[in-house]
Amino acid sequence: MEEIKKEEEKSLNFIEEIVEEDLRSGKNKNILTRFPPEPNGYLHIGHAKSICLNFGLAKKYGGKTNLRFDDTNPVTEETEYVDSIKEDVRWLGFEWANEFYASDYFDQLYEFAVTLMKKNLAYVDDSKSEEIAAQKGTPTEPGKRNKYAERSIEENLQLFTDMRAGKYADGEKVLRAKVDMTAANMQLRDPIIYRIKHAHHHRTGDKWCIYPMYDFAHGQSDSIENITHSICTLEFVTHRPLYDWFIEHLEIFPSKQYEFARLNMTFTVMSKRKLLQLVNEKFVSSWDDPRMPTISAYRRRGYTPESIRKFADKIGVQKRENLIDLSLLEFCIREHLNKIAHRKMVVFDPLKVVITNYTDENEIVVSENNPEDEEKTTREIPFSRELYIEKEDFMENPAKKFFRLAPGQKVRLKSAYIIQCEEVIKNADGSIAEVRCIYLPESKSGADTSGLKVQGTLHWVSVKHAITAELRLYDRLFKVQDPSNEEGDFKEYINPDSLQIISTVYAEPSLKNAKFDERYQFLRKGYFCLDKDSSEEKMVFNRTVSLKDTWAKELKK
RNA sequence: UGCCUGAUAGUAUAAUGGUAGUACGACAGAUUUUGAUUCUGUUUGUCGAGGUUCGAAUCCUCGUCGGGCAACCA
């Protein structure tokens, strides 16, 4: 009871506080949020934060969320991205009330521009791009308005009509809002709101050759949809006065913009531009290469939607710049996988063990699928005289505190017997060929009458029953905590060992039935899932995340 | 040297004038047929200087430091 109460009293983030106040005061009867991606790249974990915020807020307060594609720049946007974004949002577990596109509103937006011109609040400017930039001034010097701002309403209307009709080439003219060239906030220095682009749009085709800019599309789209809380990242703070200015002068529904700090994560880059470079320049194989921080990559790698939502919840929502520890994300996925993943025994780097006093031909041992699971389901594993264990689980001259197999030392074979090492057989070159052991028949798991306690338990597979698979082990993509903040190109800091492929590992036979939507814990190794590159002939597994390994830490000391 | 923002343990995040708490990490220990999980403990913090107040992370003043803003990108 106490616990539950604590959970309910969890403090609100600053946006939840605003929403609660707006609901309490009656400013809003319901809330409506939106998630507004531009379809020019794949969604990443930073977007996941935004998705969880927008959809989570609506869910919590009984409102709804629209998915709206911010597709006002035809040259970078593609349908491929639209599809991947929808898949990712759904996979994360969210349902949108409506699927909209900023391009749905192009006619309306055009009318808004006409309205502004009629109010003498917008004008067609013939200046070149560089001229406009120069006239804008600098943060410390005010800008200057040019002669085009003097054009009559009629002339502006005519020119804008001509722009739409395709009478001008790209860049020849723009439509600007007439706000304030001397404003301290540079966003207000007569921002461009329409530009000419003779480009094919992924939805409207060739209907338009003029396209609205972000500032003249986003807020208006919010307003058209009656979005109550329009949540975006911090870099748009300086745009907010403009956002409000358009709404005020167009006299349309007053959506409100609120800003939070975007997610940064250690050993990761999070800009779509940089991620696109990684893909295009082949540093990774694709947008969903499991080393990428994209949602599709996490999905392929074996992350669960639950774990990502949990992560989003734990990092919170704030306005301060942040750099989240990757280990927090890893904690979240380990926590979930520990509960749901079935255990399997897989030997990565085999060392043959022969049990000299073992003669049974067909023994089957039984092992639990998941000790965390309430329902204690089990599976059968064939045992035999010749087994594989990990090379690293044997030391001829054991280090201090080495609890595993060594000459004369005893270990437990998981779910089977205690064995004792009797002899080490070597190859001509001095390397270890195999290890000979004896087993203790009375030590069988579940029926152990030996009275012995051993410190180590090893995973193993029967040589003649083992099946093989390929493993892909992933490490962080960058060598440094904050690649974007280092000197030079961020790509110089790519970790050359971010992908390790083990072409053949030996697994217990039950892994043959592995399914794409299931997660596995390879005992003492890590969490794995079947990769889409698997075929009838070859199973391929991705390591989602390793298990914590305090022994490896001990060795480093 | 303009405008806008922000500053609490290593990293995040609470405390909304009244005991600076939580999580991750790190470290130590207990349990363990996974050196996993679980459990216990330890560690480290209010950017600085003034002020208001019985009392300040919180309010005020002045600094310092970080981030953003000068794309026909979003």
Side-chain angles (χ1 to χ4, degrees), chain A residues 264-505:
Chain A
N264 299 295
M265 203 160 63
T266 55
F267 304 104
T268 307
V269 296
M270 208 72 89
S271 88
K272 274 198 260 186
R273 204 192 94 248
K274 291 190 175 113
L275 296 177
L276 184 60
Q277 272 185 65
L278 292 176
V279 175
N280 286 345
E281 296 169 33
K282 310 279 184 217
F283 289 98
V284 296
S285 61
S286 56
W287 280 99
D288 71 348
D289 183 303
R291 293 167 294 178
M292 291 281 274
T294 55
I295 295 174
S296 53
Y298 284 118
R299 176 168 62 236
R300 181 172 174 188
R301 183 161 168 167
Y303 274 71
T304 59
E306 290 91 332
S307 66
I308 290 177
R309 278 188 255 127
K310 180 74 175 276
F311 175 70
D313 185 54
K314 287 180 97 76
I315 61 178
V317 179
Q318 257 306 337
K319 298 186 86 142
R320 46 185 109 100
E321 290 296 317
N322 57 77
L323 182 62
I324 308 278
D325 245 312
L326 183 60
S327 62
L328 183 61
L329 213 212
E330 293 183 339
F331 167 80
C332 292
I333 186 59
R334 282 194 186 105
E335 186 185 43
H336 188 217
L337 258 19
N338 178 45
K339 291 200 184 81
I340 64 164
H342 277 192
R343 315 284 126 125
K344 300 288 178 189
M345 293 203 284
V346 180
V347 172
F348 290 17
D349 187 11
L351 169 66
K352 194 193 250 185
V353 168
V354 178
I355 304 174
T356 54
N357 62 338
Y358 188 84
T359 53
D360 196 331
E361 292 290 317
N362 307 302
E363 189 175 7
I364 301 286
V365 300
V366 173
S367 193
E368 76 277 3
N369 282 323
N370 186 344
E372 306 289 320
D373 206 334
E374 297 275 320
E375 307 171 45
K376 299 284 178 202
T377 60
T378 58
R379 68 189 188 285
E380 297 183 330
I381 308 168
F383 190 80
S384 70
R385 178 183 158 88
E386 295 192 347
L387 310 172
Y388 287 135
I389 64 168
E390 297 288 350
K391 266 199 183 105
E392 63 176 19
D393 285 339
F394 177 80
M395 278 183 96
E396 195 171 8
N397 301 298
K400 257 209 316 207
K401 292 201 266 185
F402 184 78
F403 302 152
R404 308 176 185 181
L405 200 62
Q409 221 159 287
K410 293 187 189 67
V411 292
R412 158 79 59 187
L413 293 176
K414 174 71 181 173
S415 298
Y417 299 93
I418 292 173
I419 58 170
Q420 177 167 345
C421 175
E422 297 287 293
E423 191 184 357
V424 180
I425 309 291
K426 297 207 171 165
N427 295 314
D429 64 1
S431 61
I432 297 171
E434 64 178 56
V435 169
R436 300 219 167 147
C437 297
I438 55 167
Y439 85 115
L440 283 59
E442 70 278 17
S443 68
K444 186 169 182 179
S445 279
D448 188 348
T449 56
S450 72
L452 287 170
K453 281 237 187 284
V454 292
Q455 291 209 83
T457 299
L458 308 185
H459 62 281
W460 52 272
V461 295
S462 162
V463 172
K464 68 180 174 196
H465 299 98
I467 62 168
T468 60
E470 174 181 308
L471 252 42
R472 296 177 185 172
L473 312 184
Y474 305 104
D475 198 353
R476 45 192 58 152
L477 229 201
F478 292 92
K479 294 180 287 192
V480 295
Q481 287 231 13
D482 195 0
S484 304
N485 266 342
E486 294 284 341
E487 290 288 311
D489 191 330
F490 76 101
K491 296 192 290 305
E492 292 167 28
Y493 300 94
I494 289 178
N495 174 8
D497 305 316
S498 60
L499 169 62
Q500 185 196 349
I501 296 176
I502 306 180
S503 55
T504 308
V505 298

Side-chain angles (χ1 to χ4, degrees), chain A residues 26 29 67 95 116 181 219 240 294 405 431 444 464 539:
Chain A
K29 283 198 179 66
L67 174 62
E95 289 276 347
L116 237 37
M181 286 302 283
R240 194 190 330 124
T294 55
L405 200 62
S431 61
K444 186 169 182 179
K464 68 180 174 196
M539 288 197 291

Side-chain angles (χ1 to χ4, degrees), chain A residues 70-129:
Chain A
D70 224 336
D71 56 351
T72 56
N73 185 359
V75 301
T76 56
E77 295 154 6
E78 294 172 28
T79 305
E80 174 200 350
Y81 296 125
V82 170
D83 296 339
S84 76
I85 288 167
K86 283 156 66 173
E87 185 182 6
D88 289 348
V89 174
R90 270 199 205 99
W91 178 75
L92 276 175
F94 298 106
E95 289 276 347
W96 48 91
N98 299 102
E99 177 182 329
F100 290 139
Y101 295 77
S103 54
D104 293 340
Y105 311 133
F106 280 175
D107 287 294
Q108 175 71 263
L109 261 14
Y110 181 88
E111 290 308 317
F112 284 156
V114 169
T115 301
L116 237 37
M117 278 181 279
K118 285 181 177 166
K119 287 183 155 191
N120 196 23
L121 290 174
Y123 59 95
V124 173
D125 192 330
D126 301 358
S127 307
K128 290 190 165 52
S129 175

Side-chain angles (χ1 to χ4, degrees), chain A residues 174-200:
Chain A
V174 290
L175 184 69
R176 292 228 254 169
K178 194 185 276 185
V179 188
D180 180 1
M181 286 302 283
T182 65
N185 179 349
M186 300 212 43
Q187 306 302 144
L188 297 176
R189 322 248 259 229
D190 289 9
I192 293 168
I193 58 177
Y194 260 96
R195 77 286 216 192
I196 300 170
K197 272 183 196 281
H198 291 270
H200 187 84

Side-chain angles (χ1 to χ4, degrees), chain A residues 538-556:
Chain A
K538 186 173 77 172
M539 288 197 291
V540 177
F541 289 90
N542 294 315
R543 183 172 70 193
T544 309
V545 65
S546 66
L547 249 33
K548 277 211 217 163
D549 191 347
T550 50
W551 172 243
K553 253 186 211 171
E554 185 71 28
L555 283 180
K556 277 186 195 162

